[in-house]
mmCIF file of all heavy atoms in Angstrom:
data_model
loop_
_atom_site.group_PDB
_atom_site.id
_atom_site.type_symbol
_atom_site.label_atom_id
_atom_site.label_comp_id
_atom_site.label_asym_id
_atom_site.label_seq_id
_atom_site.Cartn_x
_atom_site.Cartn_y
_atom_site.Cartn_z
ATOM 1 N N ASP A 296 5.154 -18.459 -2.507
ATOM 2 C CA ASP A 296 3.898 -19.146 -2.938
ATOM 3 C C ASP A 296 2.974 -18.225 -3.569
ATOM 4 O O ASP A 296 1.951 -18.689 -4.086
ATOM 5 C CB ASP A 296 3.272 -19.867 -1.740
ATOM 6 C CG ASP A 296 2.992 -18.858 -0.644
ATOM 7 O OD1 ASP A 296 3.616 -17.785 -0.622
ATOM 8 O OD2 ASP A 296 2.089 -19.201 0.232
ATOM 9 N N ARG A 297 3.258 -16.946 -3.617
ATOM 10 C CA ARG A 297 2.318 -15.961 -4.242
ATOM 11 C C ARG A 297 2.494 -15.921 -5.718
ATOM 12 O O ARG A 297 3.667 -15.817 -6.177
ATOM 13 C CB ARG A 297 2.561 -14.602 -3.573
ATOM 14 C CG ARG A 297 1.648 -13.500 -4.083
ATOM 15 C CD ARG A 297 1.962 -12.153 -3.375
ATOM 16 N NE ARG A 297 1.433 -12.179 -2.052
ATOM 17 C CZ ARG A 297 0.239 -11.809 -1.769
ATOM 18 N NH1 ARG A 297 -0.606 -11.421 -2.718
ATOM 19 N NH2 ARG A 297 -0.189 -11.784 -0.436
ATOM 20 N N PRO A 298 1.473 -16.039 -6.533
ATOM 21 C CA PRO A 298 1.645 -16.076 -7.975
ATOM 22 C C PRO A 298 1.777 -14.699 -8.664
ATOM 23 O O PRO A 298 1.986 -14.636 -9.837
ATOM 24 C CB PRO A 298 0.408 -16.720 -8.466
ATOM 25 C CG PRO A 298 -0.661 -16.326 -7.418
ATOM 26 C CD PRO A 298 0.147 -16.293 -6.103
ATOM 27 N N GLY A 299 1.755 -13.637 -7.881
ATOM 28 C CA GLY A 299 1.884 -12.312 -8.534
ATOM 29 C C GLY A 299 1.218 -11.282 -7.582
ATOM 30 O O GLY A 299 0.739 -11.623 -6.540
ATOM 31 N N GLY A 300 1.235 -10.048 -8.000
ATOM 32 C CA GLY A 300 0.649 -9.002 -7.159
ATOM 33 C C GLY A 300 1.360 -8.807 -5.870
ATOM 34 O O GLY A 300 0.803 -8.888 -4.777
ATOM 35 N N TYR A 301 2.647 -8.483 -5.966
ATOM 36 C CA TYR A 301 3.515 -8.328 -4.751
ATOM 37 C C TYR A 301 3.449 -6.981 -4.115
ATOM 38 O O TYR A 301 3.846 -6.787 -3.030
ATOM 39 C CB TYR A 301 4.946 -8.582 -5.200
ATOM 40 C CG TYR A 301 5.081 -9.872 -5.930
ATOM 41 C CD1 TYR A 301 5.553 -9.806 -7.319
ATOM 42 C CD2 TYR A 301 4.901 -11.095 -5.400
ATOM 43 C CE1 TYR A 301 5.738 -10.964 -8.016
ATOM 44 C CE2 TYR A 301 5.090 -12.255 -6.177
ATOM 45 C CZ TYR A 301 5.423 -12.187 -7.464
ATOM 46 O OH TYR A 301 5.591 -13.330 -8.251
ATOM 47 N N THR A 302 2.884 -6.028 -4.853
ATOM 48 C CA THR A 302 2.889 -4.626 -4.352
ATOM 49 C C THR A 302 1.383 -4.121 -4.303
ATOM 50 O O THR A 302 0.545 -4.644 -5.032
ATOM 51 C CB THR A 302 3.683 -3.672 -5.255
ATOM 52 O OG1 THR A 302 3.166 -3.718 -6.539
ATOM 53 C CG2 THR A 302 5.135 -4.030 -5.200
ATOM 54 N N ARG A 303 1.229 -3.137 -3.472
ATOM 55 C CA ARG A 303 -0.124 -2.476 -3.329
ATOM 56 C C ARG A 303 0.099 -0.989 -3.391
ATOM 57 O O ARG A 303 0.972 -0.483 -2.748
ATOM 58 C CB ARG A 303 -0.694 -2.901 -1.874
ATOM 59 C CG ARG A 303 -1.994 -2.194 -1.551
ATOM 60 C CD ARG A 303 -2.400 -2.527 -0.088
ATOM 61 N NE ARG A 303 -2.567 -4.025 0.050
ATOM 62 C CZ ARG A 303 -1.977 -4.732 1.050
ATOM 63 N NH1 ARG A 303 -1.223 -4.140 1.921
ATOM 64 N NH2 ARG A 303 -2.274 -5.970 1.163
ATOM 65 N N VAL A 304 -0.785 -0.304 -4.150
ATOM 66 C CA VAL A 304 -0.726 1.153 -4.273
ATOM 67 C C VAL A 304 -1.963 1.678 -3.652
ATOM 68 O O VAL A 304 -3.134 1.347 -4.007
ATOM 69 C CB VAL A 304 -0.702 1.539 -5.702
ATOM 70 C CG1 VAL A 304 -0.752 3.119 -5.842
ATOM 71 C CG2 VAL A 304 0.593 1.063 -6.419
ATOM 72 N N LEU A 305 -1.803 2.558 -2.572
ATOM 73 C CA LEU A 305 -2.839 3.145 -1.811
ATOM 74 C C LEU A 305 -2.787 4.622 -2.074
ATOM 75 O O LEU A 305 -1.783 5.260 -1.697
ATOM 76 C CB LEU A 305 -2.762 2.846 -0.364
ATOM 77 C CG LEU A 305 -2.768 1.337 0.050
ATOM 78 C CD1 LEU A 305 -2.357 1.162 1.451
ATOM 79 C CD2 LEU A 305 -4.181 0.775 -0.267
ATOM 80 N N LYS A 306 -3.835 5.287 -2.549
ATOM 81 C CA LYS A 306 -3.793 6.735 -2.809
ATOM 82 C C LYS A 306 -3.997 7.376 -1.407
ATOM 83 O O LYS A 306 -4.894 7.033 -0.662
ATOM 84 C CB LYS A 306 -4.965 7.109 -3.729
ATOM 85 C CG LYS A 306 -4.676 6.469 -5.147
ATOM 86 C CD LYS A 306 -5.753 6.890 -6.117
ATOM 87 C CE LYS A 306 -5.410 6.313 -7.467
ATOM 88 N NZ LYS A 306 -6.430 6.608 -8.465
ATOM 89 N N THR A 307 -3.208 8.426 -1.202
ATOM 90 C CA THR A 307 -3.292 9.069 0.071
ATOM 91 C C THR A 307 -3.744 10.554 0.105
ATOM 92 O O THR A 307 -3.838 11.225 1.123
ATOM 93 C CB THR A 307 -1.877 8.996 0.742
ATOM 94 O OG1 THR A 307 -0.953 9.688 -0.118
ATOM 95 C CG2 THR A 307 -1.475 7.648 0.990
ATOM 96 N N GLY A 308 -4.108 11.052 -1.054
ATOM 97 C CA GLY A 308 -4.507 12.426 -1.200
ATOM 98 C C GLY A 308 -3.602 13.299 -2.041
ATOM 99 O O GLY A 308 -3.017 12.740 -3.017
ATOM 100 N N PHE A 309 -3.570 14.574 -1.851
ATOM 101 C CA PHE A 309 -2.830 15.423 -2.712
ATOM 102 C C PHE A 309 -1.726 16.189 -1.955
ATOM 103 O O PHE A 309 -1.947 16.613 -0.752
ATOM 104 C CB PHE A 309 -3.832 16.509 -3.271
ATOM 105 C CG PHE A 309 -4.861 15.891 -4.161
ATOM 106 C CD1 PHE A 309 -6.101 15.466 -3.635
ATOM 107 C CD2 PHE A 309 -4.632 15.501 -5.433
ATOM 108 C CE1 PHE A 309 -7.042 14.865 -4.356
ATOM 109 C CE2 PHE A 309 -5.569 14.946 -6.272
ATOM 110 C CZ PHE A 309 -6.793 14.655 -5.701
ATOM 111 N N ARG A 310 -0.620 16.431 -2.573
ATOM 112 C CA ARG A 310 0.564 17.071 -2.022
ATOM 113 C C ARG A 310 0.170 18.625 -1.811
ATOM 114 O O ARG A 310 -0.442 19.194 -2.689
ATOM 115 C CB ARG A 310 1.734 16.881 -2.887
ATOM 116 C CG ARG A 310 3.077 17.321 -2.303
ATOM 117 C CD ARG A 310 4.254 16.803 -2.948
ATOM 118 N NE ARG A 310 4.256 16.891 -4.369
ATOM 119 C CZ ARG A 310 5.023 16.186 -5.167
ATOM 120 N NH1 ARG A 310 5.814 15.260 -4.634
ATOM 121 N NH2 ARG A 310 4.987 16.259 -6.420
ATOM 122 N N GLN A 311 0.647 19.103 -0.670
ATOM 123 C CA GLN A 311 0.302 20.483 -0.311
ATOM 124 C C GLN A 311 0.869 21.467 -1.295
ATOM 125 O O GLN A 311 0.215 22.452 -1.748
ATOM 126 C CB GLN A 311 0.903 20.836 1.030
ATOM 127 C CG GLN A 311 0.542 22.196 1.546
ATOM 128 C CD GLN A 311 -0.926 22.350 1.896
ATOM 129 O OE1 GLN A 311 -1.660 21.372 2.307
ATOM 130 N NE2 GLN A 311 -1.580 23.505 1.650
ATOM 131 N N GLY A 312 2.113 21.341 -1.740
ATOM 132 C CA GLY A 312 2.725 22.370 -2.601
ATOM 133 C C GLY A 312 2.249 22.506 -4.022
ATOM 134 O O GLY A 312 1.921 23.629 -4.409
ATOM 135 N N ASP A 313 2.103 21.365 -4.720
ATOM 136 C CA ASP A 313 1.758 21.462 -6.098
ATOM 137 C C ASP A 313 0.437 20.769 -6.460
ATOM 138 O O ASP A 313 0.038 20.725 -7.626
ATOM 139 C CB ASP A 313 2.827 20.950 -7.040
ATOM 140 C CG ASP A 313 3.152 19.560 -6.722
ATOM 141 O OD1 ASP A 313 2.718 18.965 -5.848
ATOM 142 O OD2 ASP A 313 4.072 19.036 -7.510
ATOM 143 N N GLY A 314 -0.215 20.087 -5.460
ATOM 144 C CA GLY A 314 -1.422 19.421 -5.689
ATOM 145 C C GLY A 314 -1.269 17.964 -6.390
ATOM 146 O O GLY A 314 -2.233 17.510 -6.854
ATOM 147 N N ALA A 315 -0.101 17.530 -6.485
ATOM 148 C CA ALA A 315 0.097 16.220 -7.058
ATOM 149 C C ALA A 315 -0.518 15.136 -6.276
ATOM 150 O O ALA A 315 -0.450 15.151 -5.070
ATOM 151 C CB ALA A 315 1.613 15.926 -7.248
ATOM 152 N N GLU A 316 -1.144 14.168 -6.945
ATOM 153 C CA GLU A 316 -1.824 13.086 -6.292
ATOM 154 C C GLU A 316 -0.752 12.139 -5.712
ATOM 155 O O GLU A 316 0.141 11.647 -6.450
ATOM 156 C CB GLU A 316 -2.757 12.344 -7.189
ATOM 157 C CG GLU A 316 -3.624 11.318 -6.508
ATOM 158 C CD GLU A 316 -4.661 10.709 -7.440
ATOM 159 O OE1 GLU A 316 -4.551 10.965 -8.617
ATOM 160 O OE2 GLU A 316 -5.396 9.912 -6.963
ATOM 161 N N MET A 317 -0.794 11.899 -4.397
ATOM 162 C CA MET A 317 0.202 11.111 -3.685
ATOM 163 C C MET A 317 -0.373 9.637 -3.527
ATOM 164 O O MET A 317 -1.542 9.438 -3.425
ATOM 165 C CB MET A 317 0.644 11.749 -2.457
ATOM 166 C CG MET A 317 1.214 13.085 -2.544
ATOM 167 S SD MET A 317 2.721 13.120 -3.536
ATOM 168 C CE MET A 317 3.838 12.367 -2.376
ATOM 169 N N ALA A 318 0.632 8.703 -3.358
ATOM 170 C CA ALA A 318 0.223 7.318 -3.081
ATOM 171 C C ALA A 318 1.254 6.686 -2.239
ATOM 172 O O ALA A 318 2.458 7.095 -2.256
ATOM 173 C CB ALA A 318 0.053 6.567 -4.410
ATOM 174 N N LEU A 319 0.905 5.626 -1.568
ATOM 175 C CA LEU A 319 1.739 4.799 -0.787
ATOM 176 C C LEU A 319 1.854 3.516 -1.495
ATOM 177 O O LEU A 319 0.841 2.852 -1.821
ATOM 178 C CB LEU A 319 1.080 4.614 0.628
ATOM 179 C CG LEU A 319 1.918 4.051 1.690
ATOM 180 C CD1 LEU A 319 2.873 5.097 2.214
ATOM 181 C CD2 LEU A 319 1.009 3.673 2.883
ATOM 182 N N ILE A 320 3.107 3.089 -1.774
ATOM 183 C CA ILE A 320 3.294 1.775 -2.421
ATOM 184 C C ILE A 320 4.078 0.933 -1.428
ATOM 185 O O ILE A 320 4.988 1.387 -0.804
ATOM 186 C CB ILE A 320 4.050 1.900 -3.819
ATOM 187 C CG1 ILE A 320 4.224 0.498 -4.422
ATOM 188 C CG2 ILE A 320 5.303 2.594 -3.687
ATOM 189 C CD1 ILE A 320 4.555 0.516 -5.911
ATOM 190 N N GLU A 321 3.564 -0.289 -1.307
ATOM 191 C CA GLU A 321 4.104 -1.177 -0.284
ATOM 192 C C GLU A 321 4.184 -2.609 -0.754
ATOM 193 O O GLU A 321 3.406 -2.953 -1.640
ATOM 194 C CB GLU A 321 3.420 -1.083 1.097
ATOM 195 C CG GLU A 321 1.913 -1.550 0.958
ATOM 196 C CD GLU A 321 1.124 -1.326 2.177
ATOM 197 O OE1 GLU A 321 1.701 -0.782 3.188
ATOM 198 O OE2 GLU A 321 0.007 -1.733 2.294
ATOM 199 N N LEU A 322 5.073 -3.411 -0.121
ATOM 200 C CA LEU A 322 5.012 -4.896 -0.470
ATOM 201 C C LEU A 322 3.900 -5.518 0.358
ATOM 202 O O LEU A 322 3.800 -5.305 1.601
ATOM 203 C CB LEU A 322 6.428 -5.437 -0.068
ATOM 204 C CG LEU A 322 7.649 -4.887 -0.921
ATOM 205 C CD1 LEU A 322 8.917 -5.403 -0.316
ATOM 206 C CD2 LEU A 322 7.452 -5.269 -2.358
ATOM 207 N N VAL A 323 3.148 -6.302 -0.276
ATOM 208 C CA VAL A 323 1.938 -6.778 0.267
ATOM 209 C C VAL A 323 2.183 -7.705 1.542
ATOM 210 O O VAL A 323 1.568 -7.520 2.513
ATOM 211 C CB VAL A 323 1.122 -7.651 -0.761
ATOM 212 C CG1 VAL A 323 -0.061 -8.330 -0.152
ATOM 213 C CG2 VAL A 323 0.646 -6.746 -1.867
ATOM 214 N N ASP A 324 3.136 -8.589 1.436
ATOM 215 C CA ASP A 324 3.334 -9.532 2.566
ATOM 216 C C ASP A 324 4.149 -8.931 3.683
ATOM 217 O O ASP A 324 4.348 -9.592 4.720
ATOM 218 C CB ASP A 324 4.115 -10.749 1.995
ATOM 219 C CG ASP A 324 3.260 -11.609 1.065
ATOM 220 O OD1 ASP A 324 2.029 -11.586 1.317
ATOM 221 O OD2 ASP A 324 3.783 -12.207 0.173
ATOM 222 N N PHE A 325 4.523 -7.672 3.652
ATOM 223 C CA PHE A 325 5.324 -7.137 4.707
ATOM 224 C C PHE A 325 4.550 -6.105 5.536
ATOM 225 O O PHE A 325 5.068 -5.450 6.412
ATOM 226 C CB PHE A 325 6.565 -6.451 4.138
ATOM 227 C CG PHE A 325 7.585 -7.474 3.740
ATOM 228 C CD1 PHE A 325 7.539 -8.025 2.454
ATOM 229 C CD2 PHE A 325 8.549 -7.949 4.613
ATOM 230 C CE1 PHE A 325 8.465 -9.040 2.059
ATOM 231 C CE2 PHE A 325 9.424 -8.883 4.307
ATOM 232 C CZ PHE A 325 9.337 -9.425 2.981
ATOM 233 N N ASN A 326 3.312 -5.894 5.287
ATOM 234 C CA ASN A 326 2.433 -4.976 5.977
ATOM 235 C C ASN A 326 1.766 -5.827 7.091
ATOM 236 O O ASN A 326 0.632 -6.221 6.945
ATOM 237 C CB ASN A 326 1.434 -4.184 5.097
ATOM 238 C CG ASN A 326 0.677 -3.138 5.858
ATOM 239 O OD1 ASN A 326 0.857 -3.035 7.089
ATOM 240 N ND2 ASN A 326 -0.071 -2.387 5.198
ATOM 241 N N GLU A 327 2.493 -6.007 8.194
ATOM 242 C CA GLU A 327 1.957 -6.810 9.258
ATOM 243 C C GLU A 327 0.657 -6.315 9.875
ATOM 244 O O GLU A 327 -0.203 -7.043 10.227
ATOM 245 C CB GLU A 327 3.031 -7.020 10.392
ATOM 246 C CG GLU A 327 4.292 -7.587 9.883
ATOM 247 C CD GLU A 327 4.247 -8.967 9.302
ATOM 248 O OE1 GLU A 327 3.258 -9.741 9.694
ATOM 249 O OE2 GLU A 327 4.934 -9.412 8.402
ATOM 250 N N ALA A 328 0.545 -5.024 10.055
ATOM 251 C CA ALA A 328 -0.699 -4.407 10.558
ATOM 252 C C ALA A 328 -1.904 -4.760 9.842
ATOM 253 O O ALA A 328 -2.903 -5.095 10.307
ATOM 254 C CB ALA A 328 -0.539 -2.958 10.737
ATOM 255 N N ALA A 329 -1.741 -4.621 8.447
ATOM 256 C CA ALA A 329 -2.899 -4.855 7.607
ATOM 257 C C ALA A 329 -3.266 -6.364 7.534
ATOM 258 O O ALA A 329 -4.391 -6.740 7.453
ATOM 259 C CB ALA A 329 -2.648 -4.342 6.183
ATOM 260 N N LEU A 330 -2.226 -7.183 7.531
ATOM 261 C CA LEU A 330 -2.381 -8.630 7.565
ATOM 262 C C LEU A 330 -3.109 -9.158 8.783
ATOM 263 O O LEU A 330 -3.988 -9.961 8.673
ATOM 264 C CB LEU A 330 -1.065 -9.358 7.277
ATOM 265 C CG LEU A 330 -0.374 -9.165 6.071
ATOM 266 C CD1 LEU A 330 0.987 -9.859 6.032
ATOM 267 C CD2 LEU A 330 -1.233 -9.836 4.880
ATOM 268 N N ALA A 331 -2.708 -8.587 9.900
ATOM 269 C CA ALA A 331 -3.195 -9.150 11.211
ATOM 270 C C ALA A 331 -4.527 -8.591 11.631
ATOM 271 O O ALA A 331 -5.495 -9.265 11.994
ATOM 272 C CB ALA A 331 -2.200 -8.915 12.243
ATOM 273 N N SER A 332 -4.611 -7.204 11.576
ATOM 274 C CA SER A 332 -5.812 -6.628 12.212
ATOM 275 C C SER A 332 -6.997 -6.352 11.277
ATOM 276 O O SER A 332 -8.125 -6.563 11.720
ATOM 277 C CB SER A 332 -5.396 -5.285 12.824
ATOM 278 O OG SER A 332 -4.980 -4.436 11.803
ATOM 279 N N ALA A 333 -6.784 -5.882 10.045
ATOM 280 C CA ALA A 333 -7.900 -5.417 9.276
ATOM 281 C C ALA A 333 -9.002 -6.443 8.989
ATOM 282 O O ALA A 333 -10.150 -6.265 9.200
ATOM 283 C CB ALA A 333 -7.409 -4.826 7.984
ATOM 284 N N PRO A 334 -8.611 -7.653 8.482
ATOM 285 C CA PRO A 334 -9.698 -8.667 8.180
ATOM 286 C C PRO A 334 -10.439 -9.124 9.458
ATOM 287 O O PRO A 334 -11.697 -9.236 9.463
ATOM 288 C CB PRO A 334 -9.010 -9.812 7.443
ATOM 289 C CG PRO A 334 -7.703 -9.229 7.090
ATOM 290 C CD PRO A 334 -7.377 -8.143 7.942
ATOM 291 N N LYS A 335 -9.790 -9.308 10.548
ATOM 292 C CA LYS A 335 -10.396 -9.853 11.768
ATOM 293 C C LYS A 335 -11.380 -8.767 12.272
ATOM 294 O O LYS A 335 -12.523 -9.134 12.640
ATOM 295 C CB LYS A 335 -9.353 -10.118 12.793
ATOM 296 C CG LYS A 335 -8.520 -11.309 12.454
ATOM 297 C CD LYS A 335 -7.498 -11.636 13.474
ATOM 298 C CE LYS A 335 -6.534 -12.770 13.067
ATOM 299 N NZ LYS A 335 -5.507 -12.972 14.014
#
């Protein structure tokens, strides 16, 4: 039923070795912790 926007990119900081900017990419409907706890 979702019309789009299936993934979420969260920036997590910089990598220790070369300083590359790191990110966490996840499927939106499968992050149960964020769905259940954060808005409440």
Side-chain angles (χ1 to χ4, degrees):
D296 56 340
R297 182 178 285 273
Y301 311 112
T302 58
R303 174 187 299 128
V304 177
L305 302 167
K306 295 181 180 178
T307 58
F309 297 94
R310 188 160 50 198
Q311 184 69 33
D313 60 354
E316 190 174 4
M317 299 299 286
L319 192 74
I320 182 167
E321 63 186 4
L322 295 173
V323 172
D324 291 329
F325 286 87
N326 187 353
E327 300 301 332
L330 291 174
S332 65
K335 292 179 184 175

